[in-house]
Amino acid sequence: MRWITPEIEREMIAIRHDLHRHPELSWQEYRTADKVCQTLNNHGVTYTEGIAGVGVVADIPGKVNGPVIALRADMDALPVQEDTGLSFASENPGVMHACGHDGHTSILLGVAMALADAPEPPPLPIRLLFQPAEEVATGAKAMIREGTIKDVRMIFGAHLDCNHPVGKVVVNEGVVSASRDVFRIKVTGRGGHAARPQEAIDAIKIGIHIAQELQQLTSGAMTASNPAVVSVGCFQAGTAPNVIAETAVLEGTIYAQDQAERLRLNEAIRETAQTIAQQHNGIVSMEMEEGIPAIENKPEIVQLARETARSSLGKDSIVDTPVTNMGAEDFSCFLEHTEGVYVRIGSWNMAANIAPAHSSQFDFDEGALAVGAEYLTSLAIAAGKWVQERGF
Ligand SMILES: [Zn+2]
Ligand SMILES: [Zn+2]
């Protein structure tokens, strides 16, 4: 380790325990933001708080006052009741850091400490973005609206990954996370007596038919190179066993790795719902929430990130794993405005059970904190040099 001293590592672990014990849901990260500010204060790093509500942005000046290299961490927890038995388990009922964002926040604070202690400033200014509300996919957009990446030339984000051991990182080219769009379909029929369905238009029947057809939309198009998923997660209808439902509401999510496929599915869902409703004399209306795009890692910046991993973590530190992640991550919103790369930091804990992210028993190996901070510090410095060498 060049940047992360044992003292910094100890402080990162203590911060992680504190954040884990006091998790906060999206847009409610007040205590978390306070902890971030306190730590930055203690280490003499300047910052702005209250960005988009609870976001915090720290700025480390560079040798020259050029374009900015940014690193981003998310701070929110999930509505999950923790069941890990950890000594620092959540004290906030029904809320848990089940995705490792407590780790991400600690890692970025470790970077802040390392840069604050550095013998000389980085080649270009480094900005640390502590972002709220990643899990609901609105935090990144809000941080962007507040102008936090206007002067950013390059940005990096990282997620802990319990599929790989500590010391390894995943730095892949191309699409590494899917786009995500949420849809809501309201079916309106005509209510009536359950004994005389011929007098009514059954919204449940129409809704079931639509839900079944939506599953078919991706089955034909799904290939290894172009995966996409349409899932209906909510179906609400009906008021009584002897009343035919007048309305039914279906809500679901589209995940796609390819932008053309994303648009095709958007359109196909609308058409499918309309056609089926018409066939049964019903009416549908459809709403789409403003979604988030896929993350696409650019080859030349991936090369920089890979070289940096080899020099800072060791030449065998990169895992070559095929890209199959169908989850979405709102880091993609930053990449609509600037260049960057999203990496994964190995955090597999051999001793613990390997509970998946978002589960009540999720945990990770805290050795990943020092590795993640070491890597991101090196990456921000290397990126500054890289940008400088190529001219601004
Ligand atoms: Zn998550
Ligand atoms: Zn996450």
Side-chain angles (χ1 to χ4, degrees), residues 21-322:
R21 203 187 283 274
H22 304 284
E24 293 172 302
L25 292 175
S26 304
W27 292 121
Q28 295 167 34
E29 301 93 332
Y30 298 100
R31 190 189 177 281
T32 309
D34 275 351
K35 184 80 187 172
V36 167
C37 294
Q38 237 177 55
T39 309
L40 293 170
N41 258 333
N42 292 345
H43 290 267
V45 177
T46 53
Y47 61 88
T48 314
E49 59 185 314
I51 297 197
V54 281
V56 181
V57 173
D59 279 295
I60 290 107
K63 231 175 258 166
V64 298
N65 194 14
V68 175
I69 306 298
L71 302 174
R72 171 275 210 169
D74 38 18
M75 305 190 288
D76 52 337
L78 285 159
V80 171
Q81 177 63 43
E82 179 158 355
D83 183 26
T84 57
L86 290 169
S87 59
F88 51 91
S90 171
E91 290 176 4
N92 192 356
V95 183
M96 176 190 174
H97 269 297
C99 200
H101 298 187
D102 49 345
H104 301 168
T105 304
S106 307
I107 287 174
L108 206 56
L109 286 170
V111 173
M113 295 178 217
L115 290 172
D117 292 351
E120 55 173 30
L124 289 178
I126 295 176
R127 182 167 299 156
L128 310 177
L129 302 172
F130 296 88
Q131 178 207 306
E134 189 283 324
E135 294 290 357
V136 295
T138 49
K141 281 179 190 169
M143 295 288 280
I144 293 164
R145 271 198 304 274
E146 298 286 314
T148 56
I149 62 156
K150 247 188 216 146
D151 46 357
V152 168
R153 171 68 176 75
M154 202 176 278
I155 188 165
F156 297 93
H159 207 293
L160 293 173
D161 189 334
C162 289
N163 294 305
H164 306 288
V166 171
K168 301 280 185 183
V169 290
V170 183
V171 192
N172 281 336
E173 279 183 19
V175 176
V176 297
S177 81
S179 62
R180 180 183 114 160
D181 296 295
V182 174
F183 62 86
R184 183 173 186 274
I185 297 169
K186 184 177 180 191
V187 180
T188 306
R190 188 170 62 230
H193 198 295
R196 292 184 292 279
Q198 68 279 12
E199 295 172 1
I201 297 169
D202 188 343
I204 290 183
K205 215 192 262 173
I206 300 172
I208 289 171
H209 199 147
I210 292 172
Q212 275 172 338
E213 283 300 308
L214 295 190
Q215 308 309 311
Q216 304 300 316
L217 288 177
T218 45
S219 57
M222 185 106 164
T223 63
S225 63
N226 184 19
V229 179
V230 175
S231 293
V232 174
C234 304
F235 189 115
Q236 280 155 345
T239 52
N242 60 346
V243 175
I244 287 180
E246 181 156 318
T247 60
V249 176
L250 294 79
E251 287 173 292
T253 311
I254 310 165
Y255 295 97
Q257 293 205 341
D258 175 76
Q259 180 64 11
E261 180 65 358
R262 178 187 184 194
L263 297 174
R264 183 191 79 82
L265 286 169
N266 264 274
E267 206 34 54
I269 289 170
R270 192 181 297 278
E271 268 171 31
T272 303
Q274 262 157 7
T275 309
I276 292 169
Q278 267 164 18
Q279 283 165 358
H280 297 85
N281 297 318
I283 299 168
V284 288
S285 61
M286 180 165 147
E287 288 163 29
M288 294 287 301
E289 230 173 60
E290 194 196 340
I292 55 171
I295 296 180
E296 190 165 358
N297 279 348
K298 262 196 171 174
E300 52 174 357
I301 307 178
V302 165
Q303 207 188 324
L304 163 74
R306 286 180 155 239
E307 277 164 20
T308 308
R310 284 190 205 98
S311 59
S312 91
L313 304 176
K315 57 183 196 326
D316 300 323
S317 57
I318 298 164
V319 196
D320 279 300
T321 178

Side-chain angles (χ1 to χ4, degrees), residues 4-24:
I4 305 304
T5 60
E7 294 75 55
I8 294 180
E9 182 174 15
R10 265 198 298 279
E11 189 168 352
M12 288 167 74
I13 292 173
I15 291 168
R16 189 256 163 162
H17 289 184
D18 179 78
L19 297 179
H20 195 86
R21 203 187 283 274
H22 304 284
E24 293 172 302

